[in-house]
Amino acid sequence: MAEAHARQWQQGIDDAHYGWEASPVSLARIAAELWPLVKNEDWSFVSPQGFFGGWPNRLWNMTKKYQYIGSQGAGGMGYGAPASVGAALANKKYGRLSINVQTDGDFNYSPGVFWTAAHHRIPLLTIMHNNRGYHQEVMFVEQMASAHNRGAENAHIGTKLWDPDINYSQIAKGYGLYAEGPITDPNDLAPALKRGIERVKKGEPVLLDVVTQPR
Ligand SMILES: Cc1ncc(C[n+]2csc(CCOP(=O)(O)OP(=O)(O)O)c2C)c(N)n1
């Protein structure tokens, strides 16, 4: 088992190299850039990671029960943002660094919760996984259209969040948060994460909008 675990761990590190320099930014890169910045903090990952490639599980050393909130109890979108703010509120009294990787579709169900985070000064680092779509649905419609030999060129209808692109840092600023982005160059990511973490450690919510690969 130890050998199998070591192999799996190494596979995660190897896989994280793919698309390292890509723009939109790869999800593995977000997790890999975050880890050295948080590993010596008392951190807590307060969002589901199923749509984030499971990268925290693959690359981070999780040893404490509060370091991962787990997946949604059901499959309901609109759970992620409020759940992460609630978990960050619970973490606040312990001085923990709460980290939320926030998918864009989920964000749009109840974005006002970020105002709540600003109002109550809830420390929370939110990194937008902004793939500009309800990508689960994009994939499903592409699959079904292809299965019926219809071609997938209309799969974006009702599933993509573009035209116009949504400016999440502007929305967050409107709610009273410190925000940066959209970040499209992967080399801009680490400096933004550092700035964001510094502010969160001072006790405020921060949102960084990162334009990402679909999954
Ligand atoms: C309340 C609700 N509405 C719709 C769905 C169907 N649904 C499942 S995943 C998904 C897309 C989610 O988009 P996003 O949060 O951006 O994640 P992505 O699929 O892009 O990774 C939708 C609409 C659902 N599960 N729950």
Side-chain angles (χ1 to χ4, degrees):
M1 279 182 74
E3 263 177 44
H5 180 263
R7 262 200 313 277
Q8 198 178 10
W9 193 254
Q10 188 55 46
Q11 189 68 54
I13 294 167
D14 293 346
D15 290 353
H17 287 80
Y18 291 106
W20 185 256
E21 293 291 341
S23 174
V25 178
S26 92
L27 302 178
R29 181 141 184 188
I30 294 176
E33 296 277 19
L34 263 171
W35 178 239
L37 302 178
V38 302
K39 67 179 183 183
N40 295 323
E41 307 287 341
D42 188 21
W43 58 270
S44 174
F45 191 74
V46 293
S47 48
Q49 56 180 323
F51 291 2
F52 182 41
W55 285 108
N57 258 355
R58 299 186 76 188
L59 299 177
W60 299 5
N61 192 18
M62 289 192 187
T63 55
K64 301 187 175 74
K65 64 183 184 309
Y66 62 78
Q67 283 178 328
Y68 180 39
I69 193 175
S71 59
Q72 301 96 327
M77 291 295 107
Y79 159 86
S84 70
V85 172
L89 173 61
N91 282 332
K92 180 179 172 172
K93 66 172 179 272
Y94 301 107
R96 278 183 201 136
L97 177 64
S98 297
I99 305 155
N100 167 33
V101 171
Q102 177 63 53
T103 59
D104 53 340
D106 181 276
F107 176 102
N108 284 296
Y109 282 77
S110 50
V113 74
F114 289 99
W115 176 85
T116 307
H119 179 69
H120 291 291
R121 275 105 187 140
I122 299 172
L124 173 62
L125 178 68
T126 292
I127 299 145
M128 286 303 299
H129 166 10
N130 178 8
N131 60 14
R132 293 185 172 151
Y134 297 108
H135 193 66
Q136 183 67 41
E137 308 303 305
V138 177
M139 293 189 291
F140 184 67
V141 176
E142 280 179 347
Q143 185 188 22
M144 294 314 290
S146 302
H148 292 109
N149 281 324
R150 288 184 186 146
E153 60 275 8
N154 289 334
H156 63 281
I157 296 173
T159 59
K160 295 296 283 185
L161 293 167
W162 60 25
D163 189 22
D165 292 336
I166 300 172
N167 190 325
Y168 293 98
S169 64
Q170 265 187 6
I171 297 173
K173 283 176 191 165
Y175 285 138
L177 277 73
Y178 175 81
E180 293 189 26
I183 294 166
T184 52
D185 181 341
N187 297 310
D188 292 338
L189 186 60
L193 291 172
K194 276 187 203 142
R195 287 190 293 274
I197 288 169
E198 280 317 304
R199 279 182 175 263
V200 173
K201 283 169 72 177
K202 286 183 189 145
E204 56 175 307
V206 166
L207 182 142
L208 307 174
D209 179 16
V210 183
V211 182
T212 48
Q213 294 289 326
R215 281 284 176 91

